[in-house]
Coordinates of all heavy atoms in Angstrom, one line a residue:
M1 N -29.1 -28.0 -27.6 CA -28.2 -27.4 -26.7 C -28.8 -26.3 -26.0 O -29.5 -25.4 -26.6 CB -26.9 -27.0 -27.4 CG -25.9 -26.4 -26.6 SD -24.3 -26.4 -27.4 CE -24.3 -24.7 -28.1
K2 N -28.7 -26.2 -24.7 CA -29.3 -25.1 -23.9 C -28.4 -23.9 -23.8 O -27.2 -24.0 -23.6 CB -29.5 -25.7 -22.4 CG -30.3 -24.7 -21.6 CD -30.5 -25.3 -20.2 CE -31.3 -24.4 -19.3 NZ -31.6 -24.9 -18.0
R3 N -29.0 -22.7 -24.1 CA -28.3 -21.5 -24.0 C -28.3 -20.9 -22.6 O -29.4 -21.0 -21.9 CB -28.9 -20.4 -24.9 CG -28.5 -20.6 -26.3 CD -29.1 -19.5 -27.2 NE -28.2 -18.3 -27.1 CZ -28.2 -17.4 -28.0 NH1 -29.1 -17.4 -29.0 NH2 -27.4 -16.4 -27.9
T4 N -27.2 -20.5 -22.1 CA -27.2 -19.8 -20.8 C -27.3 -18.3 -21.0 O -26.8 -17.8 -22.0 CB -25.9 -20.2 -20.0 OG1 -24.8 -19.8 -20.8 CG2 -25.8 -21.7 -19.8
R5 N -27.9 -17.7 -20.1 CA -28.1 -16.2 -20.1 C -26.8 -15.5 -19.6 O -26.2 -16.0 -18.6 CB -29.3 -15.8 -19.3 CG -30.6 -16.3 -19.8 CD -31.7 -15.9 -18.9 NE -31.8 -14.5 -18.8 CZ -32.9 -13.8 -18.7 NH1 -34.1 -14.5 -18.7 NH2 -32.9 -12.5 -18.6
K6 N -26.5 -14.5 -20.3 CA -25.4 -13.7 -19.8 C -25.8 -12.8 -18.6 O -26.9 -12.3 -18.6 CB -24.9 -12.7 -20.9 CG -24.2 -13.4 -22.1 CD -23.8 -12.3 -23.1 CE -23.1 -13.0 -24.3 NZ -22.7 -12.0 -25.3
K7 N -24.9 -12.7 -17.7 CA -25.2 -11.8 -16.5 C -24.3 -10.6 -16.7 O -23.0 -10.7 -16.6 CB -24.9 -12.5 -15.2 CG -25.9 -13.7 -15.0 CD -25.7 -14.3 -13.7 CE -26.7 -15.4 -13.5 NZ -26.6 -16.1 -12.3
H8 N -24.9 -9.4 -16.9 CA -24.1 -8.2 -17.0 C -24.0 -7.5 -15.7 O -25.0 -7.4 -15.0 CB -24.7 -7.3 -18.1 CG -24.8 -8.0 -19.4 ND1 -23.7 -8.2 -20.2 CD2 -25.8 -8.4 -20.1 CE1 -24.1 -8.8 -21.4 NE2 -25.4 -8.9 -21.3
S9 N -22.9 -6.9 -15.4 CA -22.7 -6.1 -14.2 C -23.5 -4.8 -14.3 O -23.8 -4.3 -15.4 CB -21.2 -5.8 -14.0 OG -20.8 -4.9 -14.9
A10 N -23.8 -4.2 -13.2 CA -24.5 -2.9 -13.1 C -23.7 -1.9 -13.8 O -24.2 -1.0 -14.5 CB -24.8 -2.5 -11.7
A11 N -22.3 -1.9 -13.7 CA -21.5 -0.9 -14.3 C -21.6 -1.0 -15.9 O -21.6 0.0 -16.6 CB -20.0 -1.1 -13.9
F12 N -21.6 -2.3 -16.4 CA -21.8 -2.5 -17.8 C -23.1 -1.9 -18.3 O -23.2 -1.2 -19.3 CB -21.6 -4.0 -18.2 CG -21.9 -4.3 -19.6 CD1 -20.8 -4.1 -20.6 CD2 -23.1 -4.8 -20.1 CE1 -21.0 -4.3 -21.9 CE2 -23.3 -5.0 -21.4 CZ -22.3 -4.8 -22.3
K13 N -24.2 -2.2 -17.6 CA -25.5 -1.8 -18.0 C -25.6 -0.3 -18.0 O -26.1 0.4 -18.9 CB -26.6 -2.3 -17.0 CG -26.7 -3.8 -17.1 CD -27.7 -4.3 -16.0 CE -27.8 -5.8 -15.9 NZ -28.7 -6.2 -14.9
A14 N -25.0 0.4 -17.0 CA -25.0 1.8 -16.9 C -24.1 2.4 -18.0 O -24.6 3.4 -18.6 CB -24.4 2.3 -15.5
K15 N -23.0 1.8 -18.3 CA -22.2 2.3 -19.4 C -23.0 2.3 -20.8 O -22.9 3.3 -21.5 CB -20.9 1.4 -19.5 CG -20.0 1.7 -20.7 CD -18.8 0.8 -20.7 CE -17.9 1.0 -21.9 NZ -16.8 0.1 -21.8
V16 N -23.7 1.2 -21.0 CA -24.4 1.1 -22.3 C -25.6 2.1 -22.3 O -25.9 2.7 -23.3 CB -24.9 -0.4 -22.4 CG1 -25.8 -0.5 -23.7 CG2 -23.8 -1.3 -22.6
A17 N -26.3 2.2 -21.1 CA -27.4 3.1 -21.0 C -27.0 4.5 -21.2 O -27.7 5.3 -21.9 CB -28.1 2.9 -19.7
V18 N -25.9 4.9 -20.6 CA -25.4 6.3 -20.8 C -25.0 6.6 -22.2 O -25.3 7.6 -22.8 CB -24.2 6.6 -19.8 CG1 -23.5 7.8 -20.2 CG2 -24.7 6.6 -18.4
A19 N -24.4 5.6 -22.9 CA -24.1 5.7 -24.3 C -25.4 5.9 -25.1 O -25.4 6.7 -26.1 CB -23.3 4.5 -24.8
A20 N -26.4 5.2 -24.8 CA -27.7 5.4 -25.5 C -28.3 6.7 -25.2 O -28.9 7.3 -26.1 CB -28.6 4.3 -25.1
I21 N -28.2 7.2 -24.0 CA -28.8 8.5 -23.7 C -28.0 9.6 -24.4 O -28.6 10.6 -24.8 CB -28.7 8.7 -22.1 CG1 -29.7 7.8 -21.5 CG2 -29.0 10.2 -21.8 CD1 -29.6 7.7 -20.0
R22 N -26.7 9.5 -24.5 CA -25.9 10.5 -25.2 C -26.4 10.7 -26.6 O -26.5 11.9 -27.1 CB -24.5 10.1 -25.3 CG -23.6 10.6 -24.2 CD -22.2 10.4 -24.5 NE -21.5 9.9 -23.3 CZ -20.8 8.8 -23.2 NH1 -20.7 8.0 -24.2 NH2 -20.3 8.5 -22.0
G23 N -26.8 9.6 -27.3 CA -27.4 9.8 -28.6 C -26.5 10.0 -29.8 O -26.9 10.3 -30.9
D24 N -25.2 9.9 -29.6 CA -24.3 10.1 -30.7 C -24.2 8.8 -31.6 O -23.6 8.9 -32.7 CB -22.9 10.5 -30.2 CG -22.3 9.5 -29.2 OD1 -23.0 8.7 -28.7 OD2 -21.1 9.7 -28.8
R25 N -24.7 7.7 -31.1 CA -24.8 6.5 -31.9 C -26.2 5.9 -31.8 O -26.8 6.1 -30.8 CB -23.8 5.4 -31.4 CG -22.3 5.8 -31.8 CD -21.3 4.9 -31.2 NE -21.3 5.2 -29.7 CZ -20.6 4.6 -28.8 NH1 -19.9 3.5 -29.2 NH2 -20.6 4.9 -27.6
T26 N -26.6 5.2 -32.8 CA -27.9 4.6 -32.7 C -27.9 3.4 -31.8 O -26.9 2.8 -31.5 CB -28.4 4.1 -34.1 OG1 -27.6 3.0 -34.6 CG2 -28.4 5.2 -35.2
V27 N -29.1 3.0 -31.4 CA -29.2 1.8 -30.5 C -28.7 0.6 -31.2 O -28.1 -0.3 -30.6 CB -30.7 1.6 -30.0 CG1 -30.9 0.3 -29.3 CG2 -31.1 2.8 -29.1
A28 N -29.0 0.5 -32.5 CA -28.5 -0.7 -33.3 C -27.0 -0.7 -33.3 O -26.4 -1.8 -33.2 CB -29.0 -0.6 -34.7
E29 N -26.3 0.4 -33.5 CA -24.9 0.5 -33.4 C -24.3 0.1 -32.1 O -23.4 -0.7 -32.0 CB -24.4 1.9 -33.8 CG -24.6 2.3 -35.2 CD -24.3 3.8 -35.5 OE1 -24.4 4.6 -34.5 OE2 -24.0 4.1 -36.6
L30 N -25.0 0.5 -31.0 CA -24.6 0.2 -29.7 C -24.8 -1.3 -29.4 O -23.9 -2.0 -28.8 CB -25.3 1.0 -28.6 CG -25.1 2.5 -28.6 CD1 -26.1 3.2 -27.7 CD2 -23.6 2.8 -28.2
A31 N -25.9 -1.9 -29.9 CA -26.2 -3.3 -29.7 C -25.1 -4.1 -30.4 O -24.6 -5.1 -29.8 CB -27.5 -3.6 -30.3
G32 N -24.6 -3.7 -31.6 CA -23.6 -4.5 -32.2 C -22.2 -4.3 -31.5 O -21.5 -5.3 -31.4
E33 N -22.0 -3.1 -31.0 CA -20.7 -2.9 -30.3 C -20.6 -3.6 -29.0 O -19.6 -4.2 -28.7 CB -20.6 -1.4 -30.1 CG -19.3 -1.0 -29.3 CD -19.2 0.5 -29.1 OE1 -19.8 1.3 -29.8 OE2 -18.5 0.9 -28.1
F34 N -21.7 -3.6 -28.2 CA -21.7 -4.2 -26.9 C -22.2 -5.7 -26.9 O -22.1 -6.4 -25.9 CB -22.5 -3.4 -25.9 CG -21.8 -2.1 -25.6 CD1 -22.4 -0.9 -26.1 CD2 -20.7 -2.0 -24.8 CE1 -21.8 0.3 -25.9 CE2 -20.1 -0.8 -24.6 CZ -20.6 0.4 -25.1
G35 N -22.7 -6.2 -28.0 CA -23.2 -7.5 -28.1 C -24.4 -7.8 -27.3 O -24.6 -8.9 -26.7
V36 N -25.4 -6.9 -27.2 CA -26.6 -7.1 -26.6 C -27.8 -6.7 -27.5 O -27.6 -6.0 -28.5 CB -26.8 -6.3 -25.3 CG1 -25.7 -6.7 -24.3 CG2 -26.6 -4.8 -25.5
H37 N -29.0 -7.2 -27.2 CA -30.1 -6.9 -28.1 C -30.6 -5.5 -27.9 O -30.5 -4.9 -26.8 CB -31.3 -7.9 -27.7 CG -32.3 -7.9 -28.7 ND1 -33.4 -7.0 -28.8 CD2 -32.6 -8.8 -29.7 CE1 -34.2 -7.3 -29.8 NE2 -33.7 -8.4 -30.4
P38 N -31.0 -4.8 -29.0 CA -31.5 -3.4 -28.8 C -32.6 -3.2 -27.8 O -32.6 -2.2 -27.1 CB -32.0 -3.1 -30.3 CG -31.2 -4.0 -31.1 CD -31.0 -5.3 -30.4
N39 N -33.5 -4.2 -27.7 CA -34.5 -4.1 -26.7 C -33.9 -4.0 -25.3 O -34.5 -3.3 -24.4 CB -35.5 -5.3 -26.7 CG -36.4 -5.2 -28.0 OD1 -36.5 -4.2 -28.6 ND2 -37.0 -6.3 -28.3
Q40 N -32.8 -4.7 -25.0 CA -32.2 -4.7 -23.7 C -31.6 -3.3 -23.4 O -31.7 -2.8 -22.3 CB -31.1 -5.8 -23.6 CG -30.6 -6.0 -22.2 CD -31.7 -6.5 -21.3 OE1 -32.2 -7.6 -21.5 NE2 -32.0 -5.7 -20.3
I41 N -31.1 -2.7 -24.5 CA -30.5 -1.3 -24.3 C -31.6 -0.4 -23.9 O -31.5 0.5 -23.0 CB -29.8 -0.9 -25.6 CG1 -28.5 -1.8 -25.8 CG2 -29.4 0.6 -25.5 CD1 -27.8 -1.5 -27.0
H42 N -32.8 -0.5 -24.6 CA -33.9 0.4 -24.3 C -34.4 0.2 -22.9 O -34.7 1.2 -22.1 CB -35.1 0.1 -25.2 CG -34.9 0.7 -26.6 ND1 -34.8 2.0 -26.9 CD2 -34.8 0.0 -27.8 CE1 -34.7 2.2 -28.2 NE2 -34.6 1.0 -28.8
N43 N -34.4 -1.1 -22.4 CA -34.8 -1.4 -21.0 C -33.8 -0.7 -20.0 O -34.2 -0.1 -19.0 CB -34.9 -2.9 -20.8 CG -36.0 -3.5 -21.5 OD1 -37.0 -2.9 -21.9 ND2 -36.0 -4.8 -21.7
W44 N -32.5 -0.9 -20.3 CA -31.5 -0.4 -19.3 C -31.6 1.2 -19.3 O -31.4 1.8 -18.3 CB -30.1 -0.8 -19.7 CG -29.9 -2.3 -19.5 CD1 -30.6 -3.1 -18.7 CD2 -28.9 -3.1 -20.1 NE1 -30.1 -4.4 -18.8 CE2 -29.0 -4.4 -19.6 CE3 -27.8 -2.8 -21.0 CZ2 -28.2 -5.5 -20.0 CZ3 -27.0 -3.9 -21.4 CH2 -27.2 -5.2 -20.9
K45 N -31.8 1.8 -20.5 CA -31.9 3.2 -20.6 C -33.1 3.7 -19.8 O -33.0 4.7 -19.0 CB -32.0 3.6 -22.1 CG -32.2 5.1 -22.3 CD -32.3 5.4 -23.8 CE -32.7 6.8 -24.0 NZ -32.9 7.1 -25.5
K46 N -34.2 3.0 -19.9 CA -35.4 3.4 -19.2 C -35.2 3.2 -17.7 O -35.6 4.1 -16.9 CB -36.6 2.5 -19.6 CG -37.9 2.9 -18.9 CD -39.1 2.0 -19.4 CE -40.4 2.4 -18.9 NZ -40.5 2.7 -17.5
Q47 N -34.6 2.1 -17.3 CA -34.3 1.9 -15.8 C -33.4 3.0 -15.3 O -33.6 3.5 -14.2 CB -33.6 0.5 -15.6 CG -34.6 -0.6 -15.8 CD -33.9 -1.9 -15.8 OE1 -32.7 -2.0 -15.7 NE2 -34.6 -3.0 -16.0
L48 N -32.4 3.4 -16.1 CA -31.5 4.5 -15.6 C -32.2 5.8 -15.5 O -32.0 6.5 -14.4 CB -30.3 4.6 -16.6 CG -29.2 5.6 -16.2 CD1 -28.5 5.2 -14.9 CD2 -28.2 5.8 -17.3
L49 N -33.0 6.1 -16.4 CA -33.7 7.4 -16.4 C -34.8 7.4 -15.3 O -34.9 8.4 -14.6 CB -34.4 7.7 -17.7 CG -33.5 8.0 -18.9 CD1 -34.2 8.1 -20.2 CD2 -32.7 9.3 -18.6
D50 N -35.5 6.3 -15.1 CA -36.4 6.1 -14.0 C -35.7 6.3 -12.6 O -36.3 6.9 -11.7 CB -37.2 4.8 -14.0 CG -38.2 4.8 -15.2 OD1 -38.5 5.8 -15.8 OD2 -38.7 3.7 -15.5
G51 N -34.6 5.7 -12.5 CA -33.8 5.8 -11.2 C -33.3 7.2 -11.0 O -33.3 7.6 -9.9
A52 N -33.0 7.9 -12.0 CA -32.5 9.3 -11.9 C -33.6 10.1 -11.4 O -33.4 11.0 -10.6 CB -31.9 9.8 -13.2
V53 N -34.8 9.9 -11.9 CA -36.0 10.7 -11.5 C -36.3 10.4 -10.0 O -36.5 11.4 -9.3 CB -37.2 10.3 -12.4 CG1 -38.5 10.9 -11.8 CG2 -37.0 10.8 -13.8
S54 N -36.2 9.2 -9.6 CA -36.5 8.9 -8.2 C -35.5 9.5 -7.3 O -35.8 9.9 -6.2 CB -36.7 7.4 -7.9 OG -35.4 6.7 -8.1
V55 N -34.2 9.5 -7.7 CA -33.2 10.1 -6.9 C -33.4 11.6 -6.8 O -33.2 12.3 -5.7 CB -31.8 9.8 -7.4 CG1 -30.7 10.6 -6.8 CG2 -31.5 8.3 -7.3
R56 N -33.7 12.3 -7.9 CA -33.9 13.7 -7.9 C -35.1 14.1 -7.1 O -35.2 15.2 -6.6 CB -34.1 14.2 -9.4 CG -32.8 14.4 -10.1 CD -33.0 15.2 -11.3 NE -33.1 16.6 -11.0 CZ -33.8 17.5 -11.7 NH1 -34.4 17.2 -12.8 NH2 -33.8 18.7 -11.3
G57 N -36.1 13.2 -7.0 CA -37.3 13.5 -6.3 C -37.2 13.5 -4.8 O -38.1 14.0 -4.1
R58 N -36.1 12.9 -4.3 CA -36.0 12.8 -2.8 C -35.5 14.2 -2.3 O -34.7 14.9 -2.9 CB -34.9 11.8 -2.5 CG -35.4 10.4 -2.8 CD -34.4 9.3 -2.4 NE -34.9 8.0 -2.8 CZ -34.1 7.0 -3.0 NH1 -32.8 7.1 -2.8 NH2 -34.6 5.9 -3.4
R59 N -36.0 14.5 -1.1 CA -35.6 15.7 -0.4 C -34.4 15.4 0.5 O -34.2 14.3 1.0 CB -36.7 16.3 0.4 CG -37.9 16.6 -0.4 CD -39.0 17.3 0.4 NE -39.2 18.6 -0.1 CZ -38.7 19.7 0.4 NH1 -38.0 19.8 1.4 NH2 -39.0 20.9 -0.2
A60 N -33.6 16.5 0.8 CA -32.5 16.4 1.7 C -33.1 16.0 3.1 O -34.1 16.5 3.5 CB -31.7 17.7 1.8
G61 N -32.4 15.2 3.8 CA -32.8 14.8 5.2 C -33.6 13.5 5.2 O -33.8 12.9 6.2
G62 N -34.1 13.0 4.0 CA -34.7 11.8 3.9 C -36.1 11.7 4.4 O -36.8 10.7 4.2
G63 N -36.6 12.7 5.0 CA -38.0 12.7 5.5 C -39.0 13.4 4.6 O -38.6 14.0 3.7
S64 N -40.2 13.2 4.9 CA -41.2 13.9 4.1 C -41.4 15.3 4.6 O -41.2 15.6 5.8 CB -42.6 13.1 4.2 OG -43.0 13.1 5.5
H65 N -41.8 16.2 3.7 CA -41.9 17.6 4.1 C -43.4 17.8 4.5 O -44.3 17.2 3.9 CB -41.5 18.5 3.0 CG -42.3 18.4 1.8 ND1 -42.2 17.4 0.9 CD2 -43.2 19.3 1.3 CE1 -43.0 17.6 -0.1 NE2 -43.7 18.7 0.1
Q66 N -43.6 18.7 5.5 CA -45.0 19.1 5.9 C -45.1 20.5 6.1 O -44.2 21.2 6.4 CB -45.4 18.3 7.1 CG -45.5 16.8 6.9 CD -46.0 16.1 8.2 OE1 -45.7 16.6 9.3 NE2 -46.5 15.0 8.0

């Protein structure tokens, strides 16, 4: 029998990643609660943090500074 992959919404991924960043529960606890693999939570957390860094690094006005 072929397994189909679950498609999670961006909002769901962000919710899980933020919960992981908070750190009040372990990744294993979050994995059990949300029904995803712990490695996936680590990936979503990294993506969220990397995205936050790129947003913070942008300057107002959208152009490069000289």
Side-chain angles (χ1 to χ4, degrees):
M1 185 163 89
K2 187 175 179 179
R3 277 184 87 159
T4 58
R5 293 177 62 143
K6 290 183 183 177
K7 293 183 181 181
H8 300 289
S9 69
F12 177 80
K13 293 175 186 179
K15 178 180 174 180
V16 175
V18 168
I21 290 168
R22 269 195 222 120
D24 54 350
R25 289 174 284 176
T26 67
V27 172
E29 290 171 336
L30 293 171
E33 179 181 337
F34 291 107
V36 296
H37 195 277
N39 288 347
Q40 192 62 64
I41 295 175
H42 286 294
N43 290 341
W44 292 340
K45 178 180 171 183
K46 184 179 183 319
Q47 289 171 0
L48 183 66
L49 292 173
D50 289 349
V53 169
S54 69
V55 169
R56 281 195 75 209
R58 293 186 185 155
R59 298 185 119 260
S64 63
H65 65 286
Q66 291 181 336

